[in-house]
């Protein structure tokens, strides 16, 4: 075990034609995933020290004795969704403020590259750090989790992919079905001979255009058959998303392959207007496919009008995640640059729990993750759903933490992530800690890691869009102040994604000024 310069013990123990081609790269690779602190103290044992006598995570009382400490624990399922930020960027670029209900801070935060250390094999590394926000006693604490990168040789299990494509009338808008169609055509050329593909379309009704079909070698009759099926995709009628999902899962179950990565990939604007339109009811009917066959749902959102809330709920209920694509540049960022070139999982049902120390902490708040909350006592109940996470991913959670008056040393929190090994389904855990001294730097100081400041900027920006003139997060700048900070970060990081964030913050500030 090593102690870093900020007092954080570290160590990790081992145990997605042009626009279409970019999206296709996503579909062929990372899109289909289920898909200074320093690293904190690792603990991969199922008997983690964070447990109390009853086997639950325990916090420490002021007198030094242990108690159940439910109020001093925070538990959530991991989430790698980014659709909320992608859709907000498009809305702002079109001169509109996004609807507050479509803004989820954790998806803004998780849209940016991090530099956390990577573990070996399956599972996670844990990094915990933070800084002073400027408000009396408040700190911003970052919990960072990372999986190992995909192997450089690209080796992976075969994939069995069922594409469920929305061909309703609303998909006729440029940048919707045309992008999907060209992408699927390019995808067919990129998949491997031992991969399989099925194609389901839906408008007012659903149809299996192509059952699960193993592709075989390039240039063969099977790939031509797939191309012919893709060429038939044309927009028509209304949107019966219920029928599409139900038929898609039925097709996936019929074609399920043992030892392969089995996925349903939904490509839609999620503007359901026919049949069942509630996510819980839609996915209740296919619960067995998820439970018995491990088939997860990945939602790919498109269109200037987009049913964000429905797509997000579908992905959560379907044990998957979402992203949003509006342009080739988005496709390059999300699918080609960020996501790995294979479809294997690194962790199933992953959950995180942060246990705060009562002796140093008087209050705390998780920024975002409201839809991913898990009961504290369910952290080690492996029948409770968590998140599916693939290779090369990072997950970041930010907390506003208020220290007790006079707290100048000692532990602030212990963060533990628990997951099931993707092959054996055996439970694994690893943990990291952070101390008071590690949270002492000013958030906006040049001495504070730039990626921590980017995370803070993304969270503050989301909260401004979500909350308007309501109660701010501790230390939350105005949009104009935030514009100055993110512009400096853009120059310091030389990161095009941070530059795009600066453009979005600037656009939001102008729109707020105009709207009064």
């Amino acid at each position: 075990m090593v102690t870093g310069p900020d007092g954080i013990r570290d160590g990790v123990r081992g145990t997605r034609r042009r626009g279409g081609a970019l999206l296709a790269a996503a579909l062929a690779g990372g899109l289909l995933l289920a898909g200074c602190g320093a690293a904190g103290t690792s603990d991969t044992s199922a008997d983690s020290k964070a447990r109390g006598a009853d086997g639950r995570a325990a916090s420490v009382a002021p007198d030094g004795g242990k108690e159940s400490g439910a109020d001093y624990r925070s538990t959530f399922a991991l989430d790698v969704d980014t659709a909320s930020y992608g859709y907000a960027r498009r809305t702002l670029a079109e001169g509109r403020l996004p609807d507050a209900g479509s803004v989820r801070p954790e998806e803004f935060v998780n849209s940016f590259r991090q530099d956390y250390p990577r573990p070996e094999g399956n599972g996670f590394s844990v990094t915990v750090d933070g800084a002073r926000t400027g408000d009396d006693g408040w700190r911003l604490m970052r919990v960072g989790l990372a999986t190992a990168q995909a192997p450089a040789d690209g080796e992976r299990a075969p994939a069995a992919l069922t594409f469920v494509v929305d061909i309703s009338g609303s998909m006729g808008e440029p940048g919707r079905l045309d992008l999907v169609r060209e992408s699927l055509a390019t995808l067919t050329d990129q998949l491997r001979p031992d991969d399989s593909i099925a194609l389901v379309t839906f408008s007012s009704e659903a149809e299996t255009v192509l059952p699960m079909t193993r592709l075989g070698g390039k240039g063969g009759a099977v790939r031509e058959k797939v191309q012919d099926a893709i060429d038939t995709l044309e927009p028509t009628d209304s949107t019966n998303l219920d029928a599409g999902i139900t038929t898609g899962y039925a097709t996936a179950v019929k074609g399920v392959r043992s030892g392969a990565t089995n996925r349903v990939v939904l490509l839609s604007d999620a503007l359901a207007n026919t049949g069942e339109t509630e996510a819980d009811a839609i996915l209740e009917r296919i619960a067995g496919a998820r439970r018995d066959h491990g088939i997860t749902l990945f939602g790919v959102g498109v269109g200037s009008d987009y049913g964000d809330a429905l797509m997000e709920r579908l992905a959560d209920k379907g044990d998957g995640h979402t992203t949003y694509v509006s342009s080739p540049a988005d496709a390059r960022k999300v699918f080609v640059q960020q996501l790995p070139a294979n479809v294997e999982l690194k962790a199933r049902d992953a959950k995180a729990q942060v246990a705060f120390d009562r002796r140093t902490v008087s209050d705390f708040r998780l920024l975002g993750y409201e839809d991913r909350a898990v009961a504290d006592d369910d952290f080690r109940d492996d029948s409770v759903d968590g998140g599916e996470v693939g290779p090369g991913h990072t997950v970041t959670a930010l907390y506003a933490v208020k220290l007790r008056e006079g707290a100048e040393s000692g532990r602030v929190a212990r963060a533990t992530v628990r997951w099931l090994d993707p092959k054996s389904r055996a439970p694994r855990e690893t943990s990291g800690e952070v101390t008071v001294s590690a949270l002492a730097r000013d958030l906006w100081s040049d001495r504070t890691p730039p990626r921590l400041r980017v995370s803070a900027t993304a969270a503050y920006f989301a909260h401004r869009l979500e909350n308007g003139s309501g109660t701010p997060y501790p230390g939350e700048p105005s949009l104009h102040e935030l514009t100055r900070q993110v512009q400096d970060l853009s120059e310091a990081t030389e990161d095009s994604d941070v530059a795009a964030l600066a453009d979005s913050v600037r656009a939001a500030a102008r729109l707020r000024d105009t709207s009064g």
Side-chain angles (χ1 to χ4, degrees), residues 121-122 148-157 192 340-344 346 391-392:
N122 295 326
Q149 296 285 4
D153 59 12
E155 286 298 316
R156 61 168 172 84
R192 300 178 181 181
N342 74 52
V343 295
E344 290 185 311
K346 286 296 184 181

Side-chain angles (χ1 to χ4, degrees), residues 276 278-285 290 310 313-314 317:
E276 180 59 64
E278 295 295 324
D280 290 13
I282 291 172
L283 288 179
E284 183 62 32
R285 288 192 287 278
R290 295 183 283 122
L310 178 57
R313 286 292 293 147
L314 284 169
K317 293 290 289 183

Side-chain angles (χ1 to χ4, degrees), residues 8 31 129 144 206 235 243 299 348 468 507:
I8 304 175
L31 173 111
D129 62 3
R348 291 185 180 273

